[in-house]
Amino acid sequence: SHTVILLTDGGSTVDEKQLALIHQTLKSASANLFAIGIAQHDAAKLRQIAGKWRYIDTRKNDPTIETAIATIYQHVKSSFQE
């Protein structure tokens, strides 16, 4: 299993076609995507980037970036133990 952690302000530099290809590639690789929004990001755009995977909003420091990454680590760690 593969995991991609994307730290971003939510600004997109890819178009819809490129984003669809990225989502298909992740799906084909059975990869998980965790999109973590930092600073004053565009939440709607980041939800679109995250797609069916998980979006984590850290704008209000709940969770903090550190807590978000620790949560992802525990999730990934448990998936390896199964």
Side-chain angles (χ1 to χ4, degrees), residues 3 24-25 36 44 49 55 60-61 64 69-70 72-74 82:
T3 300
Q24 183 58 42
T25 302
I36 301 175
I49 292 169
Y55 157 65
K60 296 179 182 169
N61 281 333
T64 64
I69 291 173
I72 294 167
Y73 173 77
Q74 290 302 320
E82 294 176 355

Side-chain angles (χ1 to χ4, degrees), residues 8-11 36-44 46 55-59:
T8 182
D9 62 1
I36 301 175
I38 58 174
Q40 295 302 315
H41 62 275
D42 180 342
L46 196 50
Y55 157 65
I56 302 169
D57 185 350
T58 64
R59 286 180 293 186

Side-chain angles (χ1 to χ4, degrees), residues 14-22:
V14 298
D15 61 28
E16 297 295 321
K17 187 175 180 180
Q18 291 168 318
L19 187 55
L21 178 60
I22 291 167

Side-chain angles (χ1 to χ4, degrees), residues 1-5 32 34 69-82:
S1 173
H2 303 285
T3 300
V4 176
I5 300 173
N32 292 305
F34 293 88
I69 291 173
T71 300
I72 294 167
Y73 173 77
Q74 290 302 320
H75 173 79
V76 171
K77 183 178 170 185
S78 68
S79 71
F80 282 114
Q81 293 173 345
E82 294 176 355

